[in-house]
Amino acid sequence: MSVTRTDEHASASADPRRWWGLVVIALAQLMVVLDATIVNIALPSAQQDLGMSDGNRQWVITAYTLAFGGLLLLGGRIADLVGRKRTFVIGLIGFAAASALGGAAQNSGMLFGARALQGVFAAVLAPSALSLLTTTFTDPKERGKAFGIYGALAGSGSAIGFIVGGLLTEYLDWRWCLYVNVPIAVIAVIGALILLHDRPGHAGARLDVPGVLLGCGGLVAIVYGFSEAEPRGWTDSLVLGLFAAGAVLLATFVWWQSRAPMPLLPLHIVKDRNRAGCFLTMGLAVIGMFGLFLFMTYYLQVILAYSPVKTGLAFLPLTAAIIIGSTQISARLMNRVPPRLLMAPGMVLAAGGMLILTRMTIHSDYATEILPALILMGLGMGLTFMPVFSTATAGVAPQDAGVTSATVNTSQQVGGSIGTALLNTIATTSSTTYITTHLTDPSQRALVTSEGIVHGYTVAIWCAAGIMLLAGLIAALMVTTKPPTHDAPTGAAVKESLA
């Protein structure tokens, strides 16, 4: 058994086309990640075109994140049962079809439904992409480079979404923010069929149906609760009911997983100290990062009066810094230092960037006050994301690669949903309080309102900085694994697969 597994890993590492396979995997990952934000900049145009109300427009974003975050565990387990390459191709085709449907939407309901379908197929696609990467690159040096590229895309994809969304909206039409996925998916499907290899799925395995209902239902309730907390408030009965239902369902899910014959999420995956630390670090880091994207988009467009394209380009240094942090720093140091010596300093750097942004005013200069913060944030995220992805998926038994990858993606997606709702609520509350306190002269309403909005942003950014420092502390205390050695991934995979 161990000889067969070792030969399998050796043949995967020896495949001369594996780096082209990485390009295919990276394209798919980029498409999924940037789609969470590419529609943001297009939303005002889509709202006007389709006649959406202010109350309903959030569903363009929420329908996607709800389906994506809630169904990721199911998507990961399907990848393990059916086969990762087959699931990857199905996810690409479905995502492209849903994108085309959304681009052709004639009313708001059609667009909401298409966005939900995108989320469903993204939940199938994302875990199979990461698990294909995990099983394709097993040599530590190659693994570091591959995960550096993957981590850079995972961290910068959202910022790239703002740039692409701004260009497409301003120079073409908001519908192209959805249509653009079709050619990307076609290229990725052709590449996957030619370049990617995979072990067959487990034909005799069965899907844990109670686990699917409990786990996915609990995640959907939690994500939905956070999405509704923004417009309704944290004490609304529906929001509290969703949180309570989500907590009960997830607690029951954990109980069932310890007894299920073929669990949806084998508990040994999350019981591992290093993986648990990676999942928590990722979730907390993304809470802060999504808050940054939200506030900086509105700050640049509303307060500084940037156009959609200029707003997107303003995020470009952040994207470049994430890529440098992932591919030029983390990837080079990954085999020499423990992961926590990259993750913890990365979170401190990112928090430092956030702290610079707490000094924003309505007259801040981009070059001297915003740009340094974005660069620090990007470097910190680049340092953190690459070792998180690599460490969380290292040494996993092949039959658990999909669901482990899904758990990493789930922490990222749920963290994003929580961050958007939590920090936006803090910002709105702080802004309202500031405006109420300082508006003594009605003739100064416009100025005080602008100052109040920025004050709300800075209060929320203080909270985000604290959350990122907490992520760094968790990484330092929980992720205690040593640098990978040349035989560690193979040996670990063999050991775990024989267990």
Side-chain angles (χ1 to χ4, degrees), residues 238-256:
L238 174 64
V239 173
L240 294 176
L242 286 167
F243 286 152
V248 170
L249 286 170
L250 290 178
T252 310
F253 171 76
V254 171
W255 170 82
W256 171 250

Side-chain angles (χ1 to χ4, degrees), residues 417-464:
S417 298
I418 291 171
T420 301
L422 173 65
L423 296 176
N424 192 56
T425 302
I426 291 171
T428 304
T429 305
S430 301
S431 294
T432 303
T433 303
Y434 181 95
I435 293 167
T436 303
T437 305
H438 291 78
L439 187 58
T440 54
D441 182 358
S443 66
Q444 298 292 311
R445 176 176 293 275
L447 176 63
V448 173
T449 300
S450 296
E451 290 176 343
I453 290 170
V454 175
H455 172 75
Y457 293 166
T458 57
V459 171
I461 289 171
W462 271 108
C463 297

Side-chain angles (χ1 to χ4, degrees), residues 292 295-297 299-300 303-304 306 311 314-315 317-318 352-354 356-378 454 457-458 461:
L292 172 80
F295 300 134
M296 290 312 299
T297 301
Y299 177 76
L300 293 171
I303 304 300
L304 299 187
Y306 281 22
T311 300
F315 281 103
L318 172 72
M354 285 286 198
I356 293 175
L357 289 177
T358 61
R359 301 175 64 186
M360 283 192 313
T361 69
I362 59 173
H363 303 296
S364 289
D365 181 68
Y366 175 83
T368 58
E369 298 174 70
I370 307 301
L371 180 60
L374 295 181
I375 291 173
L376 279 179
M377 275 282 300
V454 175
Y457 293 166
T458 57
I461 289 171

